[in-house]
Amino acid sequence: MLRTHTCGELNASFDGHEVTLCGWVQTTRDFGKFIFVDVRDRFGITQIAVDAESNPEAYAIARQLGREFVVQAKGQVKRRSNPNPNIPTGEVEVIPQSLSILNTSEVPPFKIENETDGLEELRMQYRYLDIRRPAIASNLVLRAQMVKAVREYLDANGFLEIETPNLIKSTPEGARDFLVPSRLQPGSFYALPQSPQILKQLLMVAGMDRYYQIVKCYRDEDFRGDRQPEFTQIDCEMSFVEQEDILQMFEGMTKSVFKKIGNIDLPDFRRITYREAIEKYGTDKPDLRFEMEMVDLSGVIHEQLSVKTEPFVVFKKVLESKGLVTAIKAPKASGWTRKDLDSLTDFVKAPHRGATGLIWVRYAEDGTLKSSVDKFFSEEDLKEWARAVQAEPGDMAFLLAGEVAQTRKVAGDLRLELGTRLGLRQAGKWSLLWVVDFPMFETDPETGELIFVHHPFVSPHPEDIHLLDSRPEQARALCYDMVMNGNEIVSGSVRIHRKDVQDKIFGILGLSEEEKQNKFGFLLNAFKYGAPPHAGCAFGLDRWVMLMAGGESIRDVIAFPKNSSGRDLMMDAPAPVPDKALAEVGVQVRAALS
Amino acid sequence: MLRTHTCGELNASFDGHEVTLCGWVQTTRDFGKFIFVDVRDRFGITQIAVDAESNPEAYAIARQLGREFVVQAKGQVKRRSNPNPNIPTGEVEVIPQSLSILNTSEVPPFKIENETDGLEELRMQYRYLDIRRPAIASNLVLRAQMVKAVREYLDANGFLEIETPNLIKSTPEGARDFLVPSRLQPGSFYALPQSPQILKQLLMVAGMDRYYQIVKCYRDEDFRGDRQPEFTQIDCEMSFVEQEDILQMFEGMTKSVFKKIGNIDLPDFRRITYREAIEKYGTDKPDLRFEMEMVDLSGVIHEQLSVKTEPFVVFKKVLESKGLVTAIKAPKASGWTRKDLDSLTDFVKAPHRGATGLIWVRYAEDGTLKSSVDKFFSEEDLKEWARAVQAEPGDMAFLLAGEVAQTRKVAGDLRLELGTRLGLRQAGKWSLLWVVDFPMFETDPETGELIFVHHPFVSPHPEDIHLLDSRPEQARALCYDMVMNGNEIVSGSVRIHRKDVQDKIFGILGLSEEEKQNKFGFLLNAFKYGAPPHAGCAFGLDRWVMLMAGGESIRDVIAFPKNSSGRDLMMDAPAPVPDKALAEVGVQVRAALS
């Protein structure tokens, strides 16, 4: 071993010890006859104090050092005369008997500090330097610790870690597959798994009972937002269980990780139905670090309009076309300026949201009410709205009106924006909940046909079996998501294990026998041989780590991430390959592109 | 939870308890008024005793049960009047209050028992049934336990589990890459990693200090023997260490896993040099569960021939062309028949070995010596050979002659075959050793040029630096393998961390600046910025588990393996995909093949 200690472990208790440290030069400070060298590794920084008089050789070497040189220092630990209370090693320094350069370094292209001058593209190109920054290094350490805590919990609960293959069959389902040409069978292709969904169900058919895997999954999607073409899932499945067992098991796991990693005791998770989430928060992944429920004012407004001679035409039209008027309160926001309100109006009117406008009601501290629709509504009307959203003097209320689903969605976005502006969404504050009772099917907006919401193996809710024939669109599924601070972290379901139920669902989806066989043949075949009742879920590891790290992007918690167009800037991948390599695997680049 | 206990945990201490079990019907035995149902899960088998009189409903259901039906039985645990001492649950049975069928099963295509009637192809097609056989299920459990023990050791030793990407850049180096067409950059390709070698070295440059990952690797090779296109590596790397540290650390890990899994205390591993391994055992991965070293008889034979009037021409020619005569003893084998000896001759003459013949010497119990070359050698000559290989009355000796390298190789194969025939290679007996001091380079048999033995980042042996300019073919590398019962289980090396050394090695390999940049550019670039001294290794997990399981094929320890032509028979992959999917990723099947 080239060192006896790391750069993060020496303190006053080591006073007088002989040690050898290795690491990178963070800084050198030259005080003439003294040079202080701060040596860094991923455990910390230790000061090496080099004295020209007592050790001229070490001094000569210290003078040559540049940023990021790799050095080895052997010497004695000594208490500092001026301790640095800001770092754990700040009480001591090392007086080197010998100092040697293990490797030199060119001047790095950006500062290796948390506050760096490197833009993201440059940092990604030199990711191996970016990772040296404690901000990134500590994310990778956190990730490893979380994964360890996850495994400890699952191992203790009888789960077996089982690897499933990554070169599998392409199924024309869900997102787009990454394809891998086969050399031994030219013209044939493997696919990289979008998830081990079918394989883990087969492991249950195989009697493996409790399975987990922390596994890479692959989706060739266009990169909306913060996505990666390869991402990591904590993938789990259990046999002989019901939905409640899964919720308990994985709520338990989440609590256990929070406790081990952050010493945080999470309370029992709130559970809300999909319908309640949509109606109250306009989304199936509500951020409940703050309440601020949406309130349906349609009834109240309908009453008010009915007695007006000149009713507000926007609301009138909305209500006539069975739309929704919804309201939300912004507590203690009555001081917001015209500019604040205009920017909120712009927010809801942004093209991807598409609201036609935003109505505000200011409930001043003195108890008076003013609104952007004073022309149409009396103060008494406004007071009625305020009562509905439980607004009090000092609050604001906002109203949105329009088609039901879209209005809820915009109001959900508005709720988050208000929460942000009001400082109600701090990092370090946690809201975890289960959303349950998702619908089984939804209508494809393009074809008008029924399609499944999650995947075709989700079990219908036992109370809704009778709806499958008559009103399938109203049937609920045994399907659940865990939501963490407004992010879907876990998704799962009870699976169908009986062939007759599976056949019924495929029938509703209008799949022919041939399509069924082609898409899901080997799973359906397996279901003939005694599939046990089973259920499971998958955690999005990258996002969970990101939230625990208080980060903004999953790229910050992945060692070598790809950029938003799927490129690895460090390796410069993907890249062209010689035609010879393509010929070997029986493919060629399409003519128009070659 | 649909059960209170597994089918493997009830014993006499549960007498009288109310329990609920779930599992698969292994057998039903119908004794008229009684039916005994053996219910199986991966934890064991428990007998359910159904009595027509006391529970006619359960009896009626028990009569309908077929093999592999999934059942749930609720009832009371009772001591059996006839205990079965062969299974852990054999003291008890469950008297069901209720018995229900959770799922039916068609008759499985082969017996779900360790001794099955299913041929491998059929079992692979129905792998989910094959895994139900305890022989396979227990392998997957063993694998999970080993992986857990590995992680515990590495976590305890400060290693961080870090994921590296699987969609990387293709490098025209080593084995063939699996390629993945990029849709967002048509005409460009990702490659699946053959190993995370470069990425883990970059993690050391990044200061991560100690890294591990249990990771899938991909090689598109022709499937010689027992290989899989995707396989699993325990991949490790450490900074600020020397070769000795790696050997200690991973010898420690191996011992720790043997202890935890099999309660086996391994002795300290023997270390031998590559040269010694080749000379004594004819291979760089000797099985040292038995000794039987090869002995070079060239000198002895040379002496003997020099005094003959009619020297044995085969040996004469071999010695004249600087070949080798080597001998090996088969202890207690003097009773082998002519047929035994003929089959050994066939063994060494097999086309892929290519020996021209095999000479045997029988040292009879009565002290007389006979051989297949009695015409050319006296009994005194034979006695001299016997002395050289330390043969005694009752032993056999075998001689092979020919070109040095090939003769050693064949003799190494013969040694293993003799060991097998003599019963010296039992499962459950362990030989672990390190082979060190591999050569740095070898000569490409096709081009005659020097090529690297492992990879171009292996550090030369410090004692041999002076040879790099003059006689590079004699230089040793800081490279090491761990060999377990004749299988290479671990391979690793100290890496080059200094750019000047790396440049020298590339120079010897005759790489141009352009080739270097194209093949290894991003690693060489990283080495400019302070790479630490580092070293590492990788374990072949599949093979290690196979050896621990006492198995013969790595397919037995992989949940869903591929066959020898790279096909997954269960999923029927690889398979053709619609041309539309290919068009999206910018490729097409080559005309001749489409």
Side-chain angles (χ1 to χ4, degrees):
Chain A
M1 217 72 85
L2 301 180
R3 68 183 175 206
T4 57
H5 295 78
T6 70
C7 297
E9 68 184 299
L10 299 179
N11 55 39
S13 74
F14 289 86
D15 191 18
H17 288 219
E18 296 291 332
V19 300
T20 307
L21 299 184
C22 289
W24 287 263
V25 172
Q26 180 74 33
T27 53
T28 54
R29 278 159 293 139
D30 192 336
F31 293 100
K33 283 165 64 178
F34 282 97
I35 298 180
F36 293 103
V37 185
D38 278 352
V39 180
R40 184 199 70 235
D41 62 16
R42 84 167 170 79
F43 306 95
I45 288 183
T46 301
Q47 176 170 295
I48 314 291
V50 190
D51 173 356
E53 250 171 58
S54 61
N55 193 335
E57 294 86 0
Y59 182 80
I61 287 170
R63 294 206 59 168
Q64 298 168 38
L65 297 177
R67 269 163 61 198
E68 302 304 318
F69 276 40
V70 186
V71 294
Q72 183 188 47
K74 295 185 195 199
Q76 203 170 41
V77 182
K78 219 187 98 183
R79 273 172 183 278
R80 286 200 216 176
S81 48
N82 287 320
N84 175 353
N86 299 320
I87 60 171
T89 60
E91 296 173 300
V92 296
E93 60 195 6
V94 172
I95 314 297
Q97 275 107 56
S98 79
L99 180 64
S100 41
I101 295 174
L102 299 176
N103 215 344
T104 59
S105 173
E106 292 186 10
V107 175
F110 51 85
K111 276 193 211 155
I112 312 291
E113 291 170 16
N114 282 348
E115 297 299 322
T116 181
D117 51 355
L119 295 181
E120 184 166 21
E121 183 155 331
L122 192 68
R123 290 191 289 107
M124 285 299 157
Q125 205 180 328
Y126 294 89
R127 182 63 164 175
Y128 41 86
L129 298 180
D130 195 31
I131 293 175
R132 286 188 196 163
R133 298 193 302 124
I136 302 293
S138 64
N139 285 349
L140 299 183
V141 174
L142 172 70
R143 184 178 179 118
Q145 287 169 337
M146 284 177 64
V147 161
K148 182 165 176 282
V150 164
R151 291 187 198 281
E152 282 167 354
Y153 181 89
L154 292 173
D155 290 338
N157 280 284
F159 286 79
L160 285 181
E161 186 179 357
I162 302 177
E163 293 176 60
T164 54
N166 279 347
L167 294 171
I168 65 167
K169 187 177 182 173
S170 179
T171 51
E173 203 54 54
R176 213 178 277 107
D177 283 327
F178 281 105
L179 297 173
V180 183
S182 161
R183 181 176 56 87
L184 294 175
Q185 291 177 274
S188 283
F189 296 79
Y190 300 100
L192 301 180
Q194 295 180 31
S195 90
Q197 179 65 34
I198 292 183
L199 291 160
K200 71 175 171 177
Q201 292 194 243
L202 289 176
L203 286 173
M204 296 301 102
V205 176
M208 286 290 95
D209 211 86
R210 292 186 178 190
Y211 143 93
Y212 83 95
Q213 190 181 194
I214 299 182
V215 62
K216 281 277 175 67
C217 302
Y218 307 85
R219 284 185 204 169
D220 189 7
E221 292 174 330
D222 291 315
F223 301 104
R224 291 172 291 130
D226 191 22
R227 300 246 182 148
Q228 290 277 313
E230 51 177 314
F231 56 96
T232 305
Q233 228 169 253
I234 306 167
D235 195 47
C236 305
E237 197 79 6
M238 300 173 79
S239 288
F240 303 118
V241 293
E242 295 168 300
Q243 172 169 311
E244 183 61 27
D245 302 310
I246 299 279
L247 300 191
Q248 293 283 352
M249 180 63 74
F250 294 98
E251 180 167 330
M253 181 172 115
T254 308
K255 286 176 176 172
S256 149
V257 172
F258 269 81
K259 183 66 186 173
K260 275 194 186 158
I261 299 302
N263 196 26
I264 296 164
D265 292 291
L266 291 179
D268 288 345
F269 295 5
R270 181 167 158 188
R271 295 186 191 177
I272 67 174
T273 65
Y274 171 84
R275 175 190 277 250
E276 187 185 353
I278 296 291
E279 288 179 358
K280 288 189 174 166
Y281 309 106
T283 172
D284 58 3
K285 38 179 194 280
D287 182 349
L288 296 193
R289 280 177 292 184
F290 62 109
E291 266 301 328
M292 289 172 55
E293 290 173 17
M294 291 151 47
V295 177
D296 183 348
L297 288 189
S298 305
V300 171
I301 302 271
H302 181 77
E303 292 284 321
Q304 292 175 348
L305 292 189
S306 65
V307 298
K308 306 266 178 204
T309 45
E310 263 187 280
F312 183 42
V313 72
V314 173
F315 282 179
K316 187 157 176 277
K317 279 193 183 161
V318 162
L319 293 181
E320 275 168 7
S321 58
K322 303 207 166 175
L324 172 75
V325 182
T326 190
I328 188 169
K329 169 179 77 171
K332 314 250 183 292
S334 68
W336 283 357
T337 63
R338 187 69 203 206
K339 206 175 139 201
D340 294 328
L341 301 176
D342 285 349
S343 78
L344 284 172
T345 305
D346 292 345
F347 177 86
V348 299
K349 287 169 83 173
H352 64 287
R353 298 200 179 87
T356 51
L358 179 69
I359 293 156
W360 55 261
V361 181
R362 186 192 308 273
Y363 204 160
E365 294 283 2
D366 64 5
T368 58
L369 288 134
K370 270 194 67 62
S371 87
S372 53
V373 284
D374 280 349
K375 234 164 75 182
F376 304 99
F377 293 96
S378 67
E379 193 164 356
E380 196 42 52
D381 291 335
L382 303 184
K383 203 159 251 168
E384 215 168 344
W385 302 354
R387 260 198 302 277
V389 299
Q390 303 185 298
E392 298 184 359
D395 295 342
M396 290 284 284
F398 295 94
L399 277 70
L400 284 161
E403 186 273 323
V404 177
Q406 190 223 359
T407 303
R408 281 184 177 146
K409 202 169 170 320
V410 181
D413 286 358
L414 175 64
R415 177 180 170 275
L416 291 179
E417 177 64 17
L418 296 174
T420 302
R421 293 189 182 200
L422 292 165
L424 302 173
R425 304 178 68 198
Q426 315 96 298
K429 188 172 166 188
W430 297 104
S431 141
L432 285 103
L433 59 136
W434 288 106
V435 180
V436 297
D437 291 353
F438 278 80
M440 190 81 189
F441 305 103
E442 62 189 4
T443 308
D444 185 325
E446 283 173 32
T447 64
E449 284 169 10
L450 275 191
I451 53 175
F452 48 84
V453 171
H454 279 73
H455 52 71
F457 313 117
V458 174
S459 178
H461 197 296
E463 292 169 11
D464 293 357
I465 296 281
H466 67 283
L467 295 172
L468 289 179
D469 288 317
S470 50
R471 286 164 293 159
E473 71 286 354
Q474 290 182 20
R476 291 164 300 165
L478 291 178
C479 194
Y480 34 82
D481 281 1
M482 188 196 292
V483 176
M484 188 181 293
N485 289 6
N487 296 268
E488 178 208 304
I489 286 294
V490 180
S491 189
S493 63
V494 176
R495 326 299 183 184
I496 297 170
H497 67 283
R498 293 176 59 131
K499 209 175 157 297
D500 53 345
V501 180
Q502 190 70 67
D503 283 341
K504 177 164 220 114
I505 299 299
F506 280 140
I508 293 169
L509 293 167
L511 285 179
S512 73
E513 199 56 42
E514 196 193 331
E515 283 173 301
K516 275 161 33 179
Q517 278 308 317
N518 185 30
K519 291 184 180 180
F520 310 110
F522 62 99
L523 182 63
L524 298 180
N525 204 33
F527 276 6
K528 293 179 192 159
Y529 296 97
H534 60 291
C537 64
F539 283 67
L541 177 64
D542 305 301
R543 198 157 301 276
W544 188 10
V545 179
M546 179 198 87
L547 290 173
M548 294 291 273
E552 302 266 297
S553 165
I554 62 171
R555 291 192 295 280
D556 293 340
V557 299
I558 295 173
F560 300 109
K562 293 182 175 55
N563 75 3
S564 55
S565 29
R567 286 199 70 75
D568 185 311
L569 295 175
M570 180 184 73
M571 288 189 270
D572 195 25
V577 298
D579 189 61
K580 182 170 157 286
L582 297 181
E584 282 195 310
V585 297
V587 299
Q588 63 192 45
V589 172
R590 293 237 161 196
L593 305 158
S594 60
Chain B
M1 217 74 86
L2 300 180
R3 68 182 174 206
T4 57
H5 296 79
T6 71
C7 296
E9 68 182 301
L10 300 179
N11 55 38
S13 75
F14 289 86
D15 191 18
H17 287 217
E18 296 291 331
V19 300
T20 307
L21 299 184
C22 290
W24 287 263
V25 173
Q26 180 74 31
T27 54
T28 54
R29 279 160 292 140
D30 192 335
F31 294 100
K33 284 164 63 179
F34 282 97
I35 298 179
F36 293 103
V37 185
D38 278 353
V39 180
R40 186 199 69 237
D41 62 17
R42 84 167 171 80
F43 305 96
I45 288 184
T46 302
Q47 176 170 295
I48 313 292
V50 190
D51 174 354
E53 250 171 57
S54 63
N55 193 335
E57 293 85 1
Y59 182 80
I61 287 168
R63 293 205 58 170
Q64 297 168 38
L65 297 177
R67 271 164 60 200
E68 303 304 318
F69 275 42
V70 186
V71 295
Q72 183 187 49
K74 295 187 196 196
Q76 204 170 40
V77 182
K78 221 187 95 183
R79 274 173 183 275
R80 284 200 218 175
S81 47
N82 287 320
N84 176 353
N86 299 319
I87 58 171
T89 60
E91 297 174 298
V92 296
E93 59 194 8
V94 172
I95 314 297
Q97 275 106 54
S98 77
L99 181 64
S100 41
I101 296 175
L102 298 176
N103 215 342
T104 59
S105 173
E106 291 187 9
V107 176
F110 52 85
K111 276 193 211 155
I112 311 292
E113 292 169 17
N114 281 349
E115 297 300 321
T116 181
D117 51 356
L119 296 181
E120 184 167 20
E121 182 155 331
L122 191 67
R123 290 192 287 108
M124 285 301 158
Q125 207 180 327
Y126 294 88
R127 182 63 164 177
Y128 41 86
L129 299 180
D130 195 30
I131 293 174
R132 286 189 197 163
R133 297 192 304 123
I136 303 294
S138 63
N139 286 349
L140 298 183
V141 174
L142 172 70
R143 184 178 180 119
Q145 287 169 336
M146 285 177 64
V147 161
K148 182 166 175 282
V150 163
R151 292 187 198 281
E152 281 167 356
Y153 181 89
L154 292 172
D155 289 338
N157 280 284
F159 286 79
L160 284 182
E161 187 179 358
I162 302 177
E163 293 176 61
T164 53
N166 280 347
L167 294 171
I168 66 167
K169 187 177 183 174
S170 180
T171 52
E173 203 53 54
R176 211 178 277 107
D177 283 327
F178 281 105
L179 297 174
V180 183
S182 161
R183 181 176 55 86
L184 294 175
Q185 291 176 274
S188 284
F189 296 80
Y190 301 100
L192 302 181
Q194 295 180 30
S195 89
Q197 180 64 36
I198 293 183
L199 291 160
K200 71 176 170 176
Q201 292 194 242
L202 290 175
L203 286 174
M204 295 303 102
V205 176
M208 286 290 96
D209 210 85
R210 293 188 177 188
Y211 143 93
Y212 83 95
Q213 189 180 195
I214 299 182
V215 62
K216 281 278 176 67
C217 301
Y218 307 84
R219 283 183 204 172
D220 189 8
E221 293 174 328
D222 291 315
F223 300 105
R224 293 171 292 131
D226 192 22
R227 301 243 183 150
Q228 291 276 314
E230 52 176 312
F231 56 97
T232 305
Q233 229 169 250
I234 306 167
D235 195 48
C236 306
E237 197 79 6
M238 300 173 78
S239 289
F240 303 117
V241 293
E242 295 168 300
Q243 173 169 307
E244 184 60 28
D245 303 310
I246 298 279
L247 300 191
Q248 294 284 351
M249 180 63 75
F250 293 99
E251 181 168 329
M253 181 171 113
T254 308
K255 287 177 176 172
S256 148
V257 172
F258 269 82
K259 183 67 185 171
K260 275 194 185 158
I261 299 303
N263 197 27
I264 297 164
D265 291 292
L266 291 179
D268 287 346
F269 296 5
R270 183 169 155 186
R271 294 187 191 178
I272 67 176
T273 64
Y274 171 83
R275 175 189 278 251
E276 186 185 356
I278 295 291
E279 288 179 357
K280 288 189 176 167
Y281 309 106
T283 172
D284 58 3
K285 39 179 192 279
D287 183 349
L288 296 192
R289 279 176 292 183
F290 62 109
E291 265 301 328
M292 290 172 53
E293 289 174 15
M294 291 151 46
V295 177
D296 184 348
L297 289 189
S298 305
V300 172
I301 302 270
H302 181 76
E303 293 284 322
Q304 292 175 349
L305 291 189
S306 65
V307 299
K308 306 266 177 200
T309 47
E310 262 186 280
F312 182 42
V313 72
V314 172
F315 282 179
K316 188 159 175 277
K317 281 194 182 160
V318 162
L319 294 180
E320 277 168 10
S321 59
K322 303 207 166 173
L324 173 75
V325 182
T326 190
I328 187 167
K329 169 178 76 169
K332 312 251 183 298
S334 69
W336 282 357
T337 63
R338 187 70 205 206
K339 210 177 134 199
D340 293 330
L341 301 175
D342 285 350
S343 77
L344 284 172
T345 305
D346 291 346
F347 177 86
V348 299
K349 287 169 82 174
H352 65 285
R353 297 199 180 88
T356 51
L358 178 67
I359 291 155
W360 55 261
V361 181
R362 186 192 309 273
Y363 204 161
E365 294 283 1
D366 64 6
T368 59
L369 287 136
K370 270 195 70 59
S371 86
S372 52
V373 286
D374 280 350
K375 237 165 73 181
F376 305 99
F377 293 96
S378 68
E379 195 165 354
E380 196 42 54
D381 290 338
L382 302 185
K383 204 158 253 167
E384 217 170 343
W385 302 355
R387 262 197 302 276
V389 298
Q390 303 184 301
E392 299 184 357
D395 295 346
M396 290 284 284
F398 295 93
L399 278 70
L400 284 161
E403 186 273 323
V404 177
Q406 189 222 359
T407 302
R408 281 184 177 146
K409 201 169 171 323
V410 180
D413 285 359
L414 175 64
R415 177 181 171 276
L416 291 179
E417 177 64 16
L418 295 174
T420 302
R421 293 189 182 199
L422 292 165
L424 302 172
R425 304 178 68 198
Q426 316 94 299
K429 189 172 164 188
W430 297 105
S431 142
L432 285 103
L433 59 137
W434 288 106
V435 180
V436 297
D437 290 355
F438 278 78
M440 191 82 189
F441 305 102
E442 63 189 3
T443 309
D444 186 324
E446 282 173 33
T447 63
E449 285 170 8
L450 276 190
I451 54 174
F452 48 83
V453 172
H454 280 73
H455 53 70
F457 313 117
V458 174
S459 177
H461 197 295
E463 293 168 11
D464 294 356
I465 296 280
H466 66 283
L467 296 171
L468 289 179
D469 288 318
S470 50
R471 287 164 292 160
E473 71 285 355
Q474 291 181 20
R476 292 165 298 164
L478 291 178
C479 193
Y480 34 81
D481 280 1
M482 187 195 294
V483 176
M484 188 181 294
N485 289 4
N487 295 269
E488 178 208 304
I489 286 294
V490 180
S491 191
S493 63
V494 177
R495 327 298 183 184
I496 297 170
H497 67 283
R498 292 176 60 130
K499 210 176 157 296
D500 52 345
V501 181
Q502 190 69 66
D503 283 341
K504 175 162 223 116
I505 299 300
F506 281 140
I508 295 169
L509 292 168
L511 285 179
S512 71
E513 199 56 42
E514 195 193 332
E515 283 173 302
K516 278 162 30 182
Q517 278 307 318
N518 184 29
K519 290 181 179 182
F520 312 109
F522 62 98
L523 182 62
L524 298 181
N525 205 33
F527 276 7
K528 294 179 193 161
Y529 296 98
H534 60 291
C537 64
F539 283 67
L541 177 65
D542 305 301
R543 200 158 300 275
W544 187 10
V545 179
M546 180 197 85
L547 291 173
M548 294 291 272
E552 301 267 296
S553 164
I554 62 171
R555 291 192 295 280
D556 292 339
V557 300
I558 295 173
F560 299 108
K562 293 181 176 56
N563 74 5
S564 55
S565 24
R567 285 199 71 73
D568 185 311
L569 295 175
M570 180 184 74
M571 286 189 272
D572 196 24
V577 298
D579 189 61
K580 183 170 157 285
L582 297 181
E584 281 194 310
V585 297
V587 300
Q588 63 192 45
V589 173
R590 293 235 162 198
L593 304 158
S594 61

